[in-house]
Amino acid sequence: AQSVTQLGSHVSVSEGALVLLRCNYSSSVPPYLFWYVQYPNQGLQLLLKYTSAATLVKGINGFEAEFKKSETSFHLTKPSAHMSDAAEYFCAVGGTGGFKTIFGAGTRLFVKA
Amino acid sequence: NAGVTQTPKFRILKIGQSMTLQCTQDMNHNYMYWYRQDPGMGLKLIYYSVGAGITDKGEVPNGYNVSRSTTEDFPLRLELAAPSQTSVYFCASSIQKPSTDTQYFGPGTRLTVL
């Protein structure tokens, strides 16, 4: 069985500050891990994904995430927040052993000027 | 290349009415999905298709039906709408199965059942 927990339904940061969105997963098989972003009134789009290659994954718009097997985590970071980063972010887990992707509940990021 | 398109963007239904949510993709993807998104709940898979003529139930299929007569189109039918079906519906597609591949999402349909 697989599951995803995103810590914090809302995160607020100041423009220029570090962005850290937390994701912990549970998987009985080697996981594939995804971060999707949803801008207001739009569908989800892929930010980055981990496929068991490099543990540090770089995505679009300056975001990156690090796969830590010992901590079962895949936290999303960005060194300096921009106003345009305000959106909802979803962590998801899949893998070669199954079909579906399991989505977390989402974290809404607010960026203050 | 329009990607995944959905119509309508918004709809209000009365209890007991029926409607079809349309979804079209122009990327020649075999895999297509319907999700519903409820606040604080993430996305739940309603139905999926692995190719024209092949569909299967996801996690929350009750009250919905689908068909897949072409690679491009994957409509979702709501019969006898209920307030519990108030949600945002997303159609998505991918080249390979979603557990390993990027999914491409449409802009969504916001449905309210009163």
Side-chain angles (χ1 to χ4, degrees):
Chain A
Q2 295 181 310
S3 66
V4 173
T5 302
Q6 292 185 240
L7 298 174
S9 58
H10 296 84
V11 170
S12 182
V13 300
S14 298
E15 195 172 21
L18 171 72
V19 175
L20 171 61
L21 304 182
R22 300 178 188 273
C23 172
N24 288 90
Y25 71 92
S26 171
S27 180
S28 56
V29 297
Y32 279 44
L33 293 158
F34 305 82
W35 276 101
Y36 285 89
V37 60
Q38 184 181 25
Y39 297 106
N41 300 315
Q42 295 185 27
L44 283 70
Q45 59 182 275
L46 184 73
L47 265 182
L48 51 82
K49 72 178 179 183
Y50 166 77
T51 61
S52 78
T55 56
L56 182 63
V57 182
K58 294 188 183 299
I60 61 172
N61 300 336
F63 284 92
E64 63 182 36
E66 186 172 9
F67 172 70
K68 292 187 176 180
K69 185 177 179 180
S70 61
E71 299 177 8
T72 62
S73 69
F74 191 57
H75 302 331
L76 182 71
T77 60
K78 181 175 180 178
S80 176
H82 192 272
M83 297 296 288
S84 60
D85 295 326
E88 188 153 21
Y89 293 79
F90 293 91
C91 183
V93 63
T96 57
F99 179 82
K100 292 187 308 184
T101 306
I102 307 300
F103 286 86
T107 297
R108 186 167 294 277
L109 176 66
F110 297 92
V111 182
K112 301 174 291 187
Chain B
N1 192 339
V4 179
T5 57
Q6 292 181 238
T7 56
K9 284 187 168 48
F10 304 93
R11 184 71 184 268
I12 298 175
L13 283 182
K14 294 182 179 178
I15 294 171
Q17 287 185 322
S18 300
M19 75 165 293
T20 299
L21 282 66
Q22 301 291 345
C23 174
T24 300
Q25 54 94 5
D26 62 0
M27 297 174 284
N28 202 32
H29 288 172
N30 282 326
Y31 294 81
M32 294 188 74
Y33 324 94
W34 276 104
Y35 291 94
R36 58 177 288 169
Q37 182 185 32
D38 300 304
M41 301 291 289
L43 276 72
K44 301 295 184 187
L45 183 65
I46 304 171
Y47 270 94
Y48 65 92
S49 170
V50 300
I54 306 170
T55 63
D56 206 347
K57 297 177 180 178
E59 303 168 82
V60 290
N62 291 344
Y64 307 94
N65 272 301
V66 294
S67 60
R68 183 101 181 266
S69 56
T70 67
T71 299
E72 296 77 20
D73 299 307
F74 190 41
L76 178 72
R77 177 82 177 163
L78 278 71
E79 304 283 1
L80 299 175
S84 61
Q85 293 177 304
T86 293
S87 189
V88 182
Y89 292 84
F90 289 101
C91 180
S93 71
S94 62
I95 301 171
Q96 300 294 335
K97 62 180 182 176
S99 58
T100 59
D101 197 17
T102 302
Q103 294 179 71
Y104 296 84
F105 287 82
T109 295
R110 187 174 296 273
L111 176 67
T112 302
V113 182
L114 300 174

